Amino acid sequence: MISTFPNAAAVDLSRIRLEIRSLQPRLVEWRRRLHQRPELGFKEKLTAEFIAQKLSEWGITHQTGIAKTGIVAIIEGKQQDSPIQKPKVLAIRADMDALPIQEENEVPYRSQHDGMMHACGHDGHIAIALGTAYFLSQHREAFPGTVKIIFQPAEEGPGGAKPMIEAGVLTNPDVDAIIGLHLWNNLPLGTLGIRTGALMAATESFTCKIHGKGGHGAIPHQTVDSIVVGAQIVNALQTIVSRNVSPIDSAVVTVGRFHAGKAVNVIADTAEIAGTVRYFNPELGKLIPQRIEQIISGICASHGAKYELDYNGLYPPVINNADIAEMVRSVGLDIVETPLGIVPECQTMGGEDMSFFLQAVPGCYFFLGSANPDLGLAYPHHHPRFDFDETALGMGVEMFVRCVEKFYA
Ligand code: NI
C-alpha cells in the first residue's frame, strides 16, 4: 500500500502537521461561527445547514436529516487493496448541540442566541470533524477504505446517538470501528486523556413520590409524615454506595431534589425525591435500581406510606475497546511527544451518549486537553464562562487524521 502518511517518516509526519496547521485559521473561524449560533438538541438547524454547506463545497457525499438534524458524511479513499477484500470502515463522531445557558463571556464571538450557549465545546467538535473531513477529502489516495463522519444531535439530552443508530448510520457500509473525542478543560492543552475500558459513567435517574397521610402539625399521631419517611429514604440511599457497591468499583447515588410541604404547622401528605445514579461497571445497572426500590419499599412499608417509583436509564457507561484504545494511544504518543502527556487517570462520572455507538461497534472515546489557565480558559464545562484554547482544534484534527492512517496501516 502506498500511503502519503508513511508511519515512520518523521518528515511526512511534520508535513501532515504543517498542512493541518495551515487549516488552523479556518478551524477557528468555523468554531466561532458555530459558537455565535448555538442550538439545543434536535433543533440544530443552522448548525446542520453550516455543516452540509461545507461538505457540499468540498464535494463530500453526505446525508442530512438523520434523527432530525444529524448528518453523515462518507469519504471514500482510493481503493488500493485487492478488489476481493472488503474495505474497512472507520467512523468518527462529533456532537452538535448546545446548552440552555446564558453566556457570560465578553468575546467577539459570544453567543447571539439568548439563553443558549456552546458551553461544552461541541462547537469545537464540529470544527475538528469538518477539518478532518476536509483534510481526508484532499488525501483520498492516503487510505484504502471508507471514513464515515457522524454529526450527532442532542448529546446533552435526550440523546441523538441511539436514534441515529436506529436510523442505520452504522450500516451500509457497515462500520468496523468508531472513534470520537471531547475537548476537555479538566486537562491542560497539549495532553490527552486516553484509557481502555470505562471512561465515563452510566447516567440514570429516578423520581419517587411518597404518599403519606397529611394532617395537623400538632397532631402527628393521626398522620403518616411523608417528610419523615422521605428523610429516612434519603439517608438510607447513602448505604447503597457505601455498603452494597464494592469499594473497588465507583458509583454515585445523589438525591438532587426533595420537595414537600407548604406550611410550618401542616404535616405534608406527599413528598417527592429525585436523584441521579452513576456507575462504570455494567453489573451495577441491575444492583443499584434494585437496592433503591428495596430501600424505598421497606421504609414506606414500615411507616404505612405508599410510593410510586420511576427509574430511567439515560446513557450506558462509555466503555473503550482495548485494541482501538491502544491504536488511539499510540497515535497520541506521537502527538504529545511524551508519555506524561497521555493521562489514563481521566475517568469522570459524567455521562455521554457516545456509549451507544461503543456498545454497537468497538471504538474509543478520548479527551483532548483544552484548558489554558494563563489565558483564563479553564472554566469547567457547562459554566457560563466556559471557553477553551482553540490551539486544541488543530491537535484534534491531527489525532483523527493520524488515527485514520493507523487504522488502515
Ligand atoms: Ni459535551
Side-chain angles (χ1 to χ4, degrees):
M1 180 186 89
I2 307 158
S3 168
T4 58
F5 305 148
N7 287 339
V11 59
D12 279 294
L13 171 56
S14 64
R15 192 171 54 77
I16 293 172
R17 190 164 292 171
L18 279 178
E19 200 175 326
I20 291 171
R21 281 211 184 129
S22 74
L23 276 180
Q24 182 67 15
R26 295 167 80 187
L27 296 173
V28 169
E29 183 197 315
W30 301 335
R31 181 263 161 160
R32 292 187 177 187
R33 186 77 190 115
L34 292 159
H35 191 86
Q36 285 177 318
R37 301 189 303 175
E39 296 170 296
L40 301 183
F42 292 128
K43 294 190 178 122
E44 304 93 334
K45 205 175 152 284
L46 299 170
T47 308
E49 275 171 21
F50 181 84
I51 296 167
Q53 189 222 320
K54 292 287 169 211
L55 296 171
S56 301
E57 213 175 282
W58 305 328
I60 297 174
T61 313
H62 61 279
Q63 200 188 331
T64 59
I66 306 173
K68 291 193 178 137
T69 46
I71 296 177
V72 174
I74 296 207
I75 305 160
E76 280 175 353
K78 297 226 168 94
Q79 308 302 328
Q80 290 161 1
D81 284 353
S82 97
I84 315 151
Q85 214 178 338
K86 190 167 133 298
K88 289 202 291 178
V89 181
L90 178 68
I92 294 173
R93 176 271 204 171
D95 42 11
M96 304 158 72
D97 57 326
L99 287 153
I101 292 175
Q102 184 67 43
E103 175 152 20
E104 287 177 14
N105 287 314
E106 297 295 339
V107 288
Y109 52 90
R110 66 175 290 167
S111 169
Q112 293 170 357
H113 290 180
D114 212 30
M116 286 176 234
M117 178 190 176
H118 269 294
C120 198
H122 301 185
D123 47 349
H125 302 168
I126 299 168
I128 291 169
L130 282 175
T132 306
Y134 175 75
F135 187 95
L136 294 174
S137 72
Q138 302 296 305
H139 293 275
R140 291 179 191 261
E141 74 288 350
F143 57 98
T146 300
V147 176
K148 248 188 204 186
I149 302 193
I150 299 172
F151 296 92
Q152 179 218 297
E155 188 284 321
E156 302 288 1
K162 209 172 169 205
M164 279 199 102
I165 294 167
E166 284 162 2
V169 297
L170 295 177
T171 58
N172 190 33
D174 291 353
V175 169
D176 295 294
I178 189 161
I179 54 174
L181 64 77
H182 206 301
L183 287 155
W184 209 234
N185 268 12
N186 297 325
L187 290 174
L189 179 74
T191 63
L192 293 161
I194 305 172
R195 62 177 292 121
T196 295
L199 177 77
M200 301 179 82
T203 306
E204 302 182 340
S205 69
F206 64 92
T207 303
C208 177
K209 235 185 180 165
I210 300 153
H211 298 279
K213 189 175 160 219
H216 198 294
I219 315 172
H221 59 288
Q222 292 177 358
T223 72
V224 175
D225 188 339
S226 65
I227 291 182
V228 170
V229 175
Q232 289 186 12
I233 289 171
V234 173
N235 270 332
L237 289 177
Q238 310 309 310
T239 64
I240 298 176
V241 173
S242 70
R243 288 298 173 268
N244 301 130
V245 172
S246 158
I248 309 299
D249 278 331
S250 299
V252 175
V253 177
T254 288
V255 174
R257 200 167 75 210
F258 189 153
H259 289 163
K262 284 195 182 76
V264 291
N265 59 353
V266 174
I267 285 174
D269 193 48
T270 61
E272 189 183 278
I273 60 178
T276 185
V277 171
R278 310 292 170 108
Y279 57 85
F280 294 125
N281 177 356
E283 293 288 307
L284 296 177
K286 290 181 218 108
L287 175 85
I288 295 177
Q290 195 183 38
R291 286 296 299 137
I292 287 178
E293 173 123 43
Q294 282 169 346
I295 285 169
I296 292 172
S297 121
I299 291 174
C300 284
S302 72
H303 290 278
K306 291 200 164 61
Y307 70 93
E308 286 166 74
L309 175 63
D310 215 5
Y311 195 95
N312 291 302
L314 187 58
Y315 300 158
V318 172
I319 298 183
N320 287 334
N321 168 276
D323 294 338
I324 309 293
E326 182 46 39
M327 177 190 87
V328 173
R329 202 184 71 88
S330 66
V331 166
L333 269 177
D334 279 344
I335 289 177
V336 298
E337 285 158 4
T338 152
L340 292 176
I342 307 268
V343 187
E345 305 82 4
C346 56
Q347 277 176 309
T348 162
M349 300 313 277
E352 244 289 344
D353 72 347
M354 177 73 181
S355 50
F356 289 108
F357 288 116
L358 295 171
Q359 277 187 337
V361 287
C364 177
Y365 196 56
F366 60 95
F367 295 136
L368 175 62
S370 57
N372 189 340
D374 294 344
L375 299 179
L377 302 169
Y379 281 95
H381 295 257
H382 296 205
H383 188 284
R385 287 193 185 279
F386 173 82
D387 202 353
F388 59 87
D389 191 322
E390 290 165 324
T391 317
L393 297 173
M395 204 171 151
V397 174
E398 192 177 343
M399 276 302 290
F400 280 158
V401 164
R402 301 220 38 237
C403 280
V404 170
E405 169 208 20
K406 196 108 195 172
F407 185 70
Y408 294 106

PDB file of all heavy atoms in Angstrom, residues 93 95 97 99 119-122 125 155-156 181-184 200 351-352 365 381-382, ligand 1:
ATOM      1  N   ARG A  93     -17.115  10.391  15.254  1.00  0.00           N
ATOM      2  CA  ARG A  93     -18.356  11.003  15.728  1.00  0.00           C
ATOM      3  C   ARG A  93     -18.098  12.366  16.377  1.00  0.00           C
ATOM      4  O   ARG A  93     -17.159  12.528  17.136  1.00  0.00           O
ATOM      5  CB  ARG A  93     -19.025  10.035  16.718  1.00  0.00           C
ATOM      6  CG  ARG A  93     -20.289  10.560  17.382  1.00  0.00           C
ATOM      7  CD  ARG A  93     -19.969  11.304  18.644  1.00  0.00           C
ATOM      8  NE  ARG A  93     -21.099  11.331  19.573  1.00  0.00           N
ATOM      9  CZ  ARG A  93     -21.013  11.772  20.803  1.00  0.00           C
ATOM     10  NH1 ARG A  93     -19.863  12.219  21.269  1.00  0.00           N
ATOM     11  NH2 ARG A  93     -22.063  11.765  21.593  1.00  0.00           N
ATOM     12  N   ASP A  95     -20.519  15.588  18.232  1.00  0.00           N
ATOM     13  CA  ASP A  95     -21.855  16.017  18.650  1.00  0.00           C
ATOM     14  C   ASP A  95     -22.045  17.501  18.318  1.00  0.00           C
ATOM     15  O   ASP A  95     -21.084  18.243  18.153  1.00  0.00           O
ATOM     16  CB  ASP A  95     -22.118  15.715  20.133  1.00  0.00           C
ATOM     17  CG  ASP A  95     -20.933  16.028  21.028  1.00  0.00           C
ATOM     18  OD1 ASP A  95     -19.976  16.663  20.545  1.00  0.00           O
ATOM     19  OD2 ASP A  95     -20.956  15.642  22.207  1.00  0.00           O
ATOM     20  N   ASP A  97     -24.859  19.775  19.616  1.00  0.00           N
ATOM     21  CA  ASP A  97     -25.811  20.627  20.348  1.00  0.00           C
ATOM     22  C   ASP A  97     -25.171  21.513  21.404  1.00  0.00           C
ATOM     23  O   ASP A  97     -24.064  21.274  21.870  1.00  0.00           O
ATOM     24  CB  ASP A  97     -26.907  19.765  20.990  1.00  0.00           C
ATOM     25  CG  ASP A  97     -26.352  18.692  21.918  1.00  0.00           C
ATOM     26  OD1 ASP A  97     -25.268  18.157  21.635  1.00  0.00           O
ATOM     27  OD2 ASP A  97     -26.998  18.393  22.938  1.00  0.00           O
ATOM     28  N   LEU A  99     -26.213  24.217  25.017  1.00  0.00           N
ATOM     29  CA  LEU A  99     -26.906  24.090  26.308  1.00  0.00           C
ATOM     30  C   LEU A  99     -27.785  25.305  26.590  1.00  0.00           C
ATOM     31  O   LEU A  99     -27.493  26.406  26.105  1.00  0.00           O
ATOM     32  CB  LEU A  99     -25.864  23.976  27.428  1.00  0.00           C
ATOM     33  CG  LEU A  99     -25.130  22.637  27.500  1.00  0.00           C
ATOM     34  CD1 LEU A  99     -23.760  22.797  28.122  1.00  0.00           C
ATOM     35  CD2 LEU A  99     -25.961  21.640  28.302  1.00  0.00           C
ATOM     36  N   ALA A 119     -21.492  25.629  25.720  1.00  0.00           N
ATOM     37  CA  ALA A 119     -20.724  25.665  26.968  1.00  0.00           C
ATOM     38  C   ALA A 119     -20.063  24.328  27.251  1.00  0.00           C
ATOM     39  O   ALA A 119     -19.571  24.085  28.346  1.00  0.00           O
ATOM     40  CB  ALA A 119     -21.633  26.063  28.127  1.00  0.00           C
ATOM     41  N   CYS A 120     -20.067  23.445  26.252  1.00  0.00           N
ATOM     42  CA  CYS A 120     -19.412  22.149  26.485  1.00  0.00           C
ATOM     43  C   CYS A 120     -18.335  21.895  25.434  1.00  0.00           C
ATOM     44  O   CYS A 120     -17.583  20.935  25.531  1.00  0.00           O
ATOM     45  CB  CYS A 120     -20.454  21.027  26.486  1.00  0.00           C
ATOM     46  SG  CYS A 120     -19.853  19.516  27.268  1.00  0.00           S
ATOM     47  N   GLY A 121     -18.263  22.752  24.420  1.00  0.00           N
ATOM     48  CA  GLY A 121     -17.210  22.592  23.406  1.00  0.00           C
ATOM     49  C   GLY A 121     -17.643  21.834  22.166  1.00  0.00           C
ATOM     50  O   GLY A 121     -16.818  21.513  21.312  1.00  0.00           O
ATOM     51  N   HIS A 122     -18.949  21.569  22.030  1.00  0.00           N
ATOM     52  CA  HIS A 122     -19.395  20.813  20.864  1.00  0.00           C
ATOM     53  C   HIS A 122     -19.185  21.609  19.565  1.00  0.00           C
ATOM     54  O   HIS A 122     -19.064  21.018  18.494  1.00  0.00           O
ATOM     55  CB  HIS A 122     -20.861  20.386  21.017  1.00  0.00           C
ATOM     56  CG  HIS A 122     -21.111  19.526  22.229  1.00  0.00           C
ATOM     57  ND1 HIS A 122     -22.321  18.948  22.512  1.00  0.00           N
ATOM     58  CD2 HIS A 122     -20.288  19.122  23.237  1.00  0.00           C
ATOM     59  CE1 HIS A 122     -22.241  18.256  23.645  1.00  0.00           C
ATOM     60  NE2 HIS A 122     -21.024  18.352  24.100  1.00  0.00           N
ATOM     61  N   HIS A 125     -15.985  20.481  18.521  1.00  0.00           N
ATOM     62  CA  HIS A 125     -16.027  19.117  17.974  1.00  0.00           C
ATOM     63  C   HIS A 125     -16.436  19.145  16.503  1.00  0.00           C
ATOM     64  O   HIS A 125     -15.912  18.398  15.681  1.00  0.00           O
ATOM     65  CB  HIS A 125     -17.017  18.240  18.755  1.00  0.00           C
ATOM     66  CG  HIS A 125     -16.695  18.143  20.221  1.00  0.00           C
ATOM     67  ND1 HIS A 125     -17.564  17.621  21.139  1.00  0.00           N
ATOM     68  CD2 HIS A 125     -15.596  18.521  20.920  1.00  0.00           C
ATOM     69  CE1 HIS A 125     -17.013  17.677  22.346  1.00  0.00           C
ATOM     70  NE2 HIS A 125     -15.824  18.225  22.227  1.00  0.00           N
ATOM     71  N   GLU A 155     -26.673  15.516  22.164  1.00  0.00           N
ATOM     72  CA  GLU A 155     -25.895  14.732  23.139  1.00  0.00           C
ATOM     73  C   GLU A 155     -26.272  15.100  24.567  1.00  0.00           C
ATOM     74  O   GLU A 155     -26.281  14.256  25.459  1.00  0.00           O
ATOM     75  CB  GLU A 155     -24.392  14.925  22.917  1.00  0.00           C
ATOM     76  CG  GLU A 155     -23.508  13.997  23.764  1.00  0.00           C
ATOM     77  CD  GLU A 155     -23.400  14.413  25.225  1.00  0.00           C
ATOM     78  OE1 GLU A 155     -23.314  15.627  25.515  1.00  0.00           O
ATOM     79  OE2 GLU A 155     -23.426  13.530  26.093  1.00  0.00           O
ATOM     80  N   GLU A 156     -26.580  16.389  24.787  1.00  0.00           N
ATOM     81  CA  GLU A 156     -26.877  16.845  26.153  1.00  0.00           C
ATOM     82  C   GLU A 156     -28.234  16.335  26.624  1.00  0.00           C
ATOM     83  O   GLU A 156     -28.645  16.622  27.742  1.00  0.00           O
ATOM     84  CB  GLU A 156     -26.850  18.383  26.220  1.00  0.00           C
ATOM     85  CG  GLU A 156     -25.533  19.029  25.797  1.00  0.00           C
ATOM     86  CD  GLU A 156     -24.402  18.832  26.820  1.00  0.00           C
ATOM     87  OE1 GLU A 156     -24.626  18.188  27.853  1.00  0.00           O
ATOM     88  OE2 GLU A 156     -23.306  19.333  26.539  1.00  0.00           O
ATOM     89  N   LEU A 181     -13.928  12.282  20.170  1.00  0.00           N
ATOM     90  CA  LEU A 181     -13.180  12.980  21.213  1.00  0.00           C
ATOM     91  C   LEU A 181     -14.055  14.043  21.868  1.00  0.00           C
ATOM     92  O   LEU A 181     -15.056  14.488  21.303  1.00  0.00           O
ATOM     93  CB  LEU A 181     -11.900  13.616  20.648  1.00  0.00           C
ATOM     94  CG  LEU A 181     -11.995  14.727  19.600  1.00  0.00           C
ATOM     95  CD1 LEU A 181     -12.371  16.080  20.184  1.00  0.00           C
ATOM     96  CD2 LEU A 181     -10.656  14.869  18.879  1.00  0.00           C
ATOM     97  N   HIS A 182     -13.651  14.430  23.067  1.00  0.00           N
ATOM     98  CA  HIS A 182     -14.284  15.559  23.749  1.00  0.00           C
ATOM     99  C   HIS A 182     -13.181  16.528  24.174  1.00  0.00           C
ATOM    100  O   HIS A 182     -12.235  16.116  24.837  1.00  0.00           O
ATOM    101  CB  HIS A 182     -15.070  15.102  24.977  1.00  0.00           C
ATOM    102  CG  HIS A 182     -16.186  16.041  25.328  1.00  0.00           C
ATOM    103  ND1 HIS A 182     -15.952  17.369  25.626  1.00  0.00           N
ATOM    104  CD2 HIS A 182     -17.530  15.872  25.391  1.00  0.00           C
ATOM    105  CE1 HIS A 182     -17.121  17.959  25.877  1.00  0.00           C
ATOM    106  NE2 HIS A 182     -18.095  17.084  25.729  1.00  0.00           N
ATOM    107  N   LEU A 183     -13.295  17.794  23.755  1.00  0.00           N
ATOM    108  CA  LEU A 183     -12.413  18.829  24.287  1.00  0.00           C
ATOM    109  C   LEU A 183     -12.591  18.803  25.797  1.00  0.00           C
ATOM    110  O   LEU A 183     -13.722  18.672  26.280  1.00  0.00           O
ATOM    111  CB  LEU A 183     -12.819  20.196  23.727  1.00  0.00           C
ATOM    112  CG  LEU A 183     -12.459  20.406  22.255  1.00  0.00           C
ATOM    113  CD1 LEU A 183     -13.375  21.437  21.624  1.00  0.00           C
ATOM    114  CD2 LEU A 183     -11.005  20.833  22.100  1.00  0.00           C
ATOM    115  N   TRP A 184     -11.476  18.934  26.538  1.00  0.00           N
ATOM    116  CA  TRP A 184     -11.586  18.654  27.975  1.00  0.00           C
ATOM    117  C   TRP A 184     -10.819  19.670  28.797  1.00  0.00           C
ATOM    118  O   TRP A 184      -9.593  19.683  28.792  1.00  0.00           O
ATOM    119  CB  TRP A 184     -11.074  17.230  28.236  1.00  0.00           C
ATOM    120  CG  TRP A 184     -11.690  16.547  29.412  1.00  0.00           C
ATOM    121  CD1 TRP A 184     -11.021  15.985  30.455  1.00  0.00           C
ATOM    122  CD2 TRP A 184     -13.087  16.328  29.660  1.00  0.00           C
ATOM    123  NE1 TRP A 184     -11.928  15.435  31.346  1.00  0.00           N
ATOM    124  CE2 TRP A 184     -13.194  15.634  30.873  1.00  0.00           C
ATOM    125  CE3 TRP A 184     -14.268  16.672  28.987  1.00  0.00           C
ATOM    126  CZ2 TRP A 184     -14.420  15.274  31.430  1.00  0.00           C
ATOM    127  CZ3 TRP A 184     -15.486  16.311  29.541  1.00  0.00           C
ATOM    128  CH2 TRP A 184     -15.547  15.613  30.737  1.00  0.00           C
ATOM    129  N   MET A 200     -16.351   7.024  30.949  1.00  0.00           N
ATOM    130  CA  MET A 200     -17.405   7.859  31.531  1.00  0.00           C
ATOM    131  C   MET A 200     -18.512   6.944  32.069  1.00  0.00           C
ATOM    132  O   MET A 200     -18.649   5.801  31.653  1.00  0.00           O
ATOM    133  CB  MET A 200     -17.957   8.829  30.482  1.00  0.00           C
ATOM    134  CG  MET A 200     -16.871   9.741  29.933  1.00  0.00           C
ATOM    135  SD  MET A 200     -17.458  10.879  28.668  1.00  0.00           S
ATOM    136  CE  MET A 200     -18.157  12.184  29.666  1.00  0.00           C
ATOM    137  N   GLY A 351     -21.614  11.653  32.008  1.00  0.00           N
ATOM    138  CA  GLY A 351     -22.096  10.681  31.031  1.00  0.00           C
ATOM    139  C   GLY A 351     -22.033  11.220  29.619  1.00  0.00           C
ATOM    140  O   GLY A 351     -21.817  12.418  29.403  1.00  0.00           O
ATOM    141  N   GLU A 352     -22.217  10.360  28.642  1.00  0.00           N
ATOM    142  CA  GLU A 352     -22.089  10.689  27.217  1.00  0.00           C
ATOM    143  C   GLU A 352     -22.834   9.628  26.426  1.00  0.00           C
ATOM    144  O   GLU A 352     -22.663   8.434  26.708  1.00  0.00           O
ATOM    145  CB  GLU A 352     -20.607  10.570  26.832  1.00  0.00           C
ATOM    146  CG  GLU A 352     -19.921  11.829  26.398  1.00  0.00           C
ATOM    147  CD  GLU A 352     -20.331  12.357  25.044  1.00  0.00           C
ATOM    148  OE1 GLU A 352     -20.948  11.604  24.257  1.00  0.00           O
ATOM    149  OE2 GLU A 352     -20.035  13.524  24.767  1.00  0.00           O
ATOM    150  N   TYR A 365     -13.346   6.503  22.800  1.00  0.00           N
ATOM    151  CA  TYR A 365     -13.659   7.913  23.021  1.00  0.00           C
ATOM    152  C   TYR A 365     -12.545   8.460  23.897  1.00  0.00           C
ATOM    153  O   TYR A 365     -12.107   7.788  24.839  1.00  0.00           O
ATOM    154  CB  TYR A 365     -15.010   8.010  23.741  1.00  0.00           C
ATOM    155  CG  TYR A 365     -15.632   9.380  23.708  1.00  0.00           C
ATOM    156  CD1 TYR A 365     -15.870  10.023  22.504  1.00  0.00           C
ATOM    157  CD2 TYR A 365     -16.020  10.014  24.886  1.00  0.00           C
ATOM    158  CE1 TYR A 365     -16.462  11.283  22.478  1.00  0.00           C
ATOM    159  CE2 TYR A 365     -16.622  11.259  24.859  1.00  0.00           C
ATOM    160  CZ  TYR A 365     -16.833  11.891  23.651  1.00  0.00           C
ATOM    161  OH  TYR A 365     -17.430  13.133  23.623  1.00  0.00           O
ATOM    162  N   HIS A 381     -16.684  22.719  32.093  1.00  0.00           N
ATOM    163  CA  HIS A 381     -17.749  22.524  31.107  1.00  0.00           C
ATOM    164  C   HIS A 381     -19.101  22.859  31.748  1.00  0.00           C
ATOM    165  O   HIS A 381     -19.305  22.623  32.935  1.00  0.00           O
ATOM    166  CB  HIS A 381     -17.739  21.079  30.602  1.00  0.00           C
ATOM    167  CG  HIS A 381     -16.491  20.754  29.834  1.00  0.00           C
ATOM    168  ND1 HIS A 381     -16.462  20.675  28.459  1.00  0.00           N
ATOM    169  CD2 HIS A 381     -15.216  20.549  30.238  1.00  0.00           C
ATOM    170  CE1 HIS A 381     -15.226  20.411  28.067  1.00  0.00           C
ATOM    171  NE2 HIS A 381     -14.445  20.321  29.125  1.00  0.00           N
ATOM    172  N   HIS A 382     -20.001  23.403  30.960  1.00  0.00           N
ATOM    173  CA  HIS A 382     -21.365  23.788  31.364  1.00  0.00           C
ATOM    174  C   HIS A 382     -21.368  25.046  32.252  1.00  0.00           C
ATOM    175  O   HIS A 382     -22.381  25.347  32.869  1.00  0.00           O
ATOM    176  CB  HIS A 382     -22.124  22.644  32.075  1.00  0.00           C
ATOM    177  CG  HIS A 382     -22.372  21.453  31.187  1.00  0.00           C
ATOM    178  ND1 HIS A 382     -23.401  20.566  31.392  1.00  0.00           N
ATOM    179  CD2 HIS A 382     -21.735  21.006  30.079  1.00  0.00           C
ATOM    180  CE1 HIS A 382     -23.372  19.621  30.460  1.00  0.00           C
ATOM    181  NE2 HIS A 382     -22.352  19.865  29.650  1.00  0.00           N
TER     182      HIS A 382
HETATM  183 NI    NI B   1     -20.144  17.590  25.999  1.00  0.00          NI
END
